[in-house]
Amino acid sequence: MSRPARPLCAILWSPDLVDEFGRTMASIGRLDARISASSVAPAWMLRASWTGYATALRLQRHEIDEIDVISHFTGVSIPGRPPVVTAGDPFGAYADWAAELAAGHDRHWREDIPFTFDIPDGWRDAPPLARALAVLDSWSRQDNTPAPWLAFPKLLRRMNLTRNPLPCLVTGDPGLRFLHGTREAQLKRLLKSLRELADEGLRRLGRLEGYRMRYGAAVGAEHRPGHLPRLGTLALETPFLAARTLVDRFDITLSGAGKLLSRAAEKGLLVETSGRTSWRLYVTPDVGIALGIVAPPRGRPPSPSRSSPALDTVLAEFDREMAEIDQMLSDHSRKHTET
């Protein structure tokens, strides 16, 4: 008879584990604090949800990358990417998961666990993050679907480890299900994974905030911006854009849509990624860099433009539309909870 696995909250803390734990907590705290004060939080949350969902699929051994997740949920085909062929519906859990993340966190964390969780050894003296990982560890052996990995950001919030839902902090380790490797090594891998995810989430947030400022400055400098402001708002929701995407949304011709995208690309607000195809596809720089299909800029980033009435007006409009997106997500979450 095999011995029961030692709970992750009962692991003896070596100096290396203590160091990794401190760095991880600091990284999560920095990301959580920045999101709380960011005007692009709704757009970042949407992007982070694609990142987190892609992580969960990868942990389930699906050969599906983040770019495929974005393509699926935005309805934009990516040139050179083969269609996703897999058994079942790997994208089917996303809508409910995203709605649950956007919901309030007034419930106790144990109410979301679909199995009986007995408090393990070491729980009382363990730090909250170790407790959360112990729950993830136990859950992963009770459920072989992506649900345990996807639940972790919500668990962090329900256990008051974060103020905001941070979808990019979906994490896990397939070895937990089979107890491969030492428990100390598994705990250290989980902590390192969380730290790297939080650090990358913070970098992406910085690029997104910079994109908002650059876009606002470019629009503010235009005498006749036309559809450029609306294009910027759409790009925050749908980072991959093609001319046919704009025709119905903006009620313009295909030719006019192509010219609008080219105009934005000339100003560095979009980057063409289509290559030698019959139609052009563009991506926002922040997402292109994150996916590795756009080279990051060299040297120091340009200094933010000085404030001006035109820039202030454009940014205020961006913020208003971001607030509308946030409200839309909250309304969807409330309807999901009521049903």
Side-chain angles (χ1 to χ4, degrees):
M1 183 176 179
S2 61
R3 297 177 59 185
R6 181 190 297 178
L8 292 183
C9 57
I11 300 296
L12 295 177
W13 289 86
S14 66
D16 284 347
L17 273 179
V18 171
D19 177 66
E20 190 63 63
F21 180 84
R23 295 168 65 194
T24 300
M25 286 298 300
S27 293
I28 294 174
R30 282 192 293 267
L31 175 60
D32 195 31
R34 278 281 299 276
I35 283 293
S36 297
S38 178
S39 60
V40 296
W44 181 89
M45 291 288 184
L46 180 61
R47 284 158 159 74
S49 72
W50 297 330
T51 304
Y53 199 80
T55 299
L57 293 180
R58 186 175 67 252
L59 289 168
Q60 292 296 113
R61 307 300 192 192
H62 287 293
E63 294 183 358
I64 299 175
D65 296 326
E66 184 177 354
I67 192 172
D68 301 313
V69 172
I70 297 174
S71 172
H72 178 85
F73 289 115
T74 59
V76 177
S77 299
I78 310 297
R81 298 294 301 182
V84 173
V85 179
T86 183
D89 181 10
F91 303 110
Y94 175 84
D96 288 347
W97 171 67
E100 290 171 1
L101 275 179
H105 64 291
D106 52 343
R107 290 157 55 94
H108 191 273
W109 61 267
R110 296 190 73 159
E111 296 181 57
D112 295 317
I113 298 178
F115 65 96
T116 301
F117 180 73
D118 297 322
I119 298 300
D121 294 339
W123 181 270
R124 179 178 178 181
D125 298 324
L129 181 56
R131 294 181 183 182
L133 290 171
V135 174
L136 173 68
D137 174 45
S138 181
W139 196 340
S140 69
R141 289 188 293 280
Q142 299 285 337
D143 186 341
N144 62 2
T145 73
W149 321 132
L150 290 170
F152 196 70
K154 182 172 64 175
L155 184 63
L156 291 176
R157 191 183 185 196
R158 294 277 168 85
M159 297 181 82
N160 295 318
L161 280 157
T162 63
R163 180 180 178 183
N164 305 280
L166 303 175
C168 64
L169 296 188
V170 169
T171 193
D173 183 344
L176 297 177
R177 287 176 167 154
F178 309 103
L179 299 177
H180 289 167
T182 67
R183 301 296 277 163
E184 292 81 359
Q186 288 177 339
L187 178 57
K188 188 172 183 180
R189 280 199 303 272
L190 289 170
L191 290 171
K192 181 181 178 181
S193 169
L194 280 172
R195 174 172 55 81
E196 292 176 344
L197 290 169
D199 289 345
E200 176 62 15
L202 189 61
R203 284 191 290 269
R204 294 188 181 196
L205 176 60
R207 287 195 289 262
L208 183 57
E209 290 174 335
Y211 176 70
R212 167 187 173 272
M213 289 295 296
R214 289 193 303 276
Y215 206 108
V219 172
E222 288 288 305
H223 178 61
R224 294 181 177 178
H227 288 294
L228 269 180
R230 292 180 63 193
L231 179 63
T233 301
L234 179 61
L236 293 176
E237 303 175 49
T238 308
F240 282 99
L241 294 165
R244 64 178 184 274
T245 311
L246 311 184
V247 172
D248 293 333
R249 285 183 179 247
F250 294 173
D251 192 23
I252 56 179
T253 65
L254 189 63
S255 175
K259 291 177 181 178
L260 176 60
L261 291 170
S262 296
R263 182 182 177 190
E266 289 172 1
K267 297 179 180 300
L269 305 176
L270 296 173
V271 179
E272 185 182 352
T273 63
S274 46
R276 297 179 180 179
T277 60
S278 58
W279 51 274
R280 294 182 177 182
L281 182 71
Y282 298 82
V283 67
T284 60
D286 68 297
V287 170
I289 293 171
L291 296 177
I293 58 178
V294 172
R298 295 183 177 182
R300 299 181 61 181
S303 301
S305 301
R306 293 184 178 181
S307 180
S308 67
L311 175 59
D312 292 343
T313 299
V314 172
L315 293 181
E317 180 65 14
F318 266 41
D319 292 344
R320 183 189 65 79
E321 294 181 345
M322 282 294 94
E324 289 180 357
I325 295 172
D326 197 22
Q327 185 62 47
M328 177 186 66
L329 294 174
S330 298
D331 292 344
H332 176 75
S333 172
R334 185 171 60 254
K335 292 178 182 178
H336 171 80
T337 302
E338 290 173 353
T339 56

